[in-house]
Amino acid sequence: MYYETTKELLAFIKKSPTAFHAIEEMQARLTEDGFQVLSEKEHWKLTPGGKYVVTRNHSALIAFTIPEKESWKFHIIASHSDSPSFKIKENPEIVVEKTYVKLNVEKYGGMLMAPWFDRPLSIAGRVIVRKDGKLEEKLIDFDRNLVMIPNLAIHMNREANSGVSYNPQKDMLPLFSMGGSDVSLQKLLSTQLDVEEKDILSHDLFLYNRMEGSIWGAENEFASSARLDDLQCAFASLKGFLGAQKQDCIAVHCVLDNEEVGSGTKQGAASTFLKDTLLRINSGLGRTYEEYLMTLADSFMISADNAHALHPNYTDKADPVNHPLLNKGIVIKYNANQKYCTDAVSAAVFKDLCDRAGVPWQTFVNRSDIPGGSTLGNISNTQVPMNTVDIGLPQLSMHSPYETAGVRDTEYFVKAAKEFFA
């Protein structure tokens, strides 16, 4: 079962080169299961027993179910759809010595830059086009080896293996074509989308690693792929959400965007997207605002964002005792300075949940002299305060274009999510 779930995960990630594609894929799976698509621009008519999904910016999604019997609590799993990458700038072509054409890009999020060199990359995202006097949003994925960021040979940089600092404006620009031809990214976009170049008005386009996910190791115990952070949690949450009975709670599968750049967008954890949706559920059930606050007080959220596993070559970077291992279960994340939401109450609730689901759990705390990053849980809590635990699945090489996890851990979270939503 572990391997089948991991293979499903890798297939899901392959279809999700950007946040836009990940949300489209999740919405497709939800509608196939009978979920009704809602629009924030329209009135919502909600009924007991109903299943609904709403998106914002086409890069964040919230799906929810209302049980037949009356329920006064939300059970929420929140993850995020974005991953570090390089975003293509406007007017991207840069001609070099009348010979090469490279693309102008900028960093999105805090990534490891070195692993982006010398591997086949492609371009995906969304394009806004004008058609019949209206603006339309179209997803695009070239789905072929299109660009590459070439490294500088060791002969020209003898210090390359002694530590190199990369300048994203100089060192990380991908090679696109030879000069002298009339090819351009705009032309490729128009051909791919079958629209006139003049009707392409804007785009949100990103580079992505073309290397497919793989299962490997002496006993096939490891899984590697792009974008495990955080599509591994988003996928497991969705699979558990769809597989659960959801009879006793208002179950909410929430996937927010822009976590990698601080969540401060209309579709991020700092936005009102989750709050707005919960309020509309509350009013759709004919309840007052006070009753909404009462519901929040008895609700629970799992903030799911991957965690750092103990590194085999850098064990000194981990806490002496709270260092998770691959394939050893879901990670509960703690931080005294509230970078994570976990406290004694939420940790106990989650540990009990895992025990009932029959899945292992482990703990993560940063070394006291190495500050860690924050995630979406504490940011979401400023909008929708409720008991929240921060968890993740253990992985290596976080924020690399090719990350590594354990084959067992995705299935562990699927089982815990099923138990939670049930």
Side-chain angles (χ1 to χ4, degrees):
M1 190 64 181
Y2 303 118
Y3 294 104
E4 291 305 313
T5 300
T6 300
K7 289 176 182 176
E8 285 183 46
L9 166 67
L10 298 180
F12 171 79
I13 292 176
K14 184 178 180 181
K15 293 180 179 179
S16 308
T18 71
F20 306 111
H21 293 82
I23 294 305
E24 181 185 53
E25 178 64 18
M26 281 187 268
Q27 181 169 306
R29 296 187 183 204
L30 288 159
T31 54
E32 185 179 345
D33 195 66
F35 279 71
Q36 177 185 338
V37 179
L38 302 173
S39 170
E40 290 193 287
K41 301 176 183 178
E42 300 170 354
H43 292 291
W44 292 4
K45 295 181 179 179
L46 310 180
T47 59
K51 305 191 293 185
Y52 307 94
V53 58
V54 61
T55 64
R56 181 178 286 188
N57 191 50
H58 294 171
S59 63
L61 173 149
I62 298 177
F64 60 92
T65 60
I66 300 174
E68 293 284 356
K69 66 179 183 180
E70 191 172 59
S71 175
W72 291 84
K73 57 186 175 182
F74 298 111
H75 279 193
I76 304 168
I77 297 182
S79 55
H80 65 88
S81 59
D82 61 320
S83 299
S85 182
F86 290 95
K87 190 174 191 290
I88 296 176
K89 294 181 180 180
E90 296 295 310
N91 306 309
E93 288 87 3
I94 299 176
V95 180
V96 182
E97 298 291 336
K98 299 181 181 179
T99 302
Y100 299 118
V101 177
K102 59 186 180 181
L103 298 181
N104 198 7
V105 300
E106 59 182 322
K107 290 170 59 182
Y108 174 87
M111 84 274 282
L112 290 168
M113 288 194 282
W116 283 87
F117 287 108
D118 304 325
R119 62 172 76 234
L121 308 172
S122 195
I123 296 172
R126 67 174 175 184
V127 181
I128 310 301
V129 303
R130 180 170 43 214
K131 185 176 181 181
D132 300 327
K134 297 181 179 180
L135 301 185
E136 291 186 6
E137 180 178 328
K138 293 182 177 291
L139 291 192
I140 189 166
D141 176 10
F142 283 103
D143 195 22
R144 67 180 177 93
N145 300 342
L146 185 56
V147 296
M148 188 177 292
I149 305 173
N151 225 322
L152 183 62
I154 187 70
H155 313 81
M156 300 174 185
N157 183 9
R158 295 291 182 179
E159 302 303 314
N161 294 321
S162 301
V164 177
S165 176
Y166 297 110
N167 183 320
Q169 186 62 66
K170 177 177 173 58
D171 301 313
M172 307 308 298
L173 303 188
L175 180 61
F176 175 63
S177 71
M178 294 295 291
S181 70
D182 64 349
V183 69
S184 67
L185 182 58
Q186 190 87 342
K187 185 179 290 291
L188 290 185
L189 289 171
S190 69
T191 301
Q192 185 89 354
L193 297 172
D194 194 24
V195 297
E196 297 290 329
E197 287 187 57
K198 62 181 177 60
D199 290 326
I200 298 175
L201 301 182
S202 191
H203 55 71
D204 292 312
L205 298 174
F206 297 85
L207 303 186
Y208 73 92
N209 176 20
R210 289 274 295 159
M211 187 173 180
E212 292 191 13
S214 60
I215 296 175
W216 57 280
E219 296 182 293
N220 289 321
E221 63 266 59
F222 305 118
S224 293
S225 174
R227 301 179 297 284
L228 287 176
D229 174 24
D230 190 33
L231 293 187
Q232 188 179 16
C233 285
F235 166 82
S237 170
L238 177 64
K239 189 172 175 65
F241 178 75
L242 290 174
Q245 294 298 318
K246 303 184 286 291
Q247 296 176 344
D248 296 319
C249 65
I250 301 171
V252 182
H253 165 72
C254 175
V255 184
L256 301 166
D257 192 11
N258 303 128
E259 189 277 340
E260 301 294 358
V261 292
S263 297
T265 61
K266 66 182 182 296
Q267 59 274 354
S271 76
T272 61
F273 185 33
L274 179 57
K275 178 182 179 180
D276 292 346
T277 302
L278 299 184
L279 279 169
R280 293 183 77 164
I281 294 171
N282 184 75
S283 62
L285 295 175
R287 297 175 181 174
T288 66
Y289 183 71
E290 183 182 28
E291 289 173 321
Y292 166 72
L293 297 178
M294 291 163 56
T295 304
L296 286 187
D298 197 31
S299 296
F300 195 88
M301 180 161 66
I302 297 173
S303 167
D305 193 3
N306 271 5
H308 298 289
L310 180 70
H311 196 291
N313 296 334
Y314 301 95
T315 56
D316 59 310
K317 295 294 184 180
D319 182 79
V321 290
N322 296 287
H323 45 248
L325 302 173
L326 302 181
N327 290 310
K328 297 299 183 181
I330 303 170
V331 179
I332 304 171
K333 301 191 286 187
Y334 296 81
N335 181 266
N337 295 303
Q338 297 301 295
K339 295 293 186 181
Y340 304 130
C341 288
T342 309
D343 59 19
V345 173
S346 62
V349 170
F350 189 75
K351 289 175 182 179
D352 180 65
L353 169 72
C354 288
D355 291 344
R356 285 187 280 114
V359 300
W361 51 266
Q362 45 189 333
T363 57
F364 170 82
V365 186
N366 282 296
R367 270 183 60 122
S368 299
D369 55 353
I370 300 180
S374 60
T375 184
L376 51 89
N378 58 341
I379 299 173
S380 294
N381 266 205
T382 63
Q383 296 288 344
V384 283
M386 66 182 74
N387 279 329
T388 303
V389 64
D390 266 301
I391 63 97
L393 298 177
Q395 71 165 89
L396 301 171
S397 306
M398 187 177 287
H399 291 191
S400 167
Y402 207 66
E403 302 168 319
T404 293
V407 295
R408 292 176 174 266
D409 294 316
T410 307
E411 176 64 16
Y412 288 148
F413 190 22
V414 172
K415 290 181 177 179
K418 282 184 180 178
E419 180 69 23
F420 178 65
F421 287 128

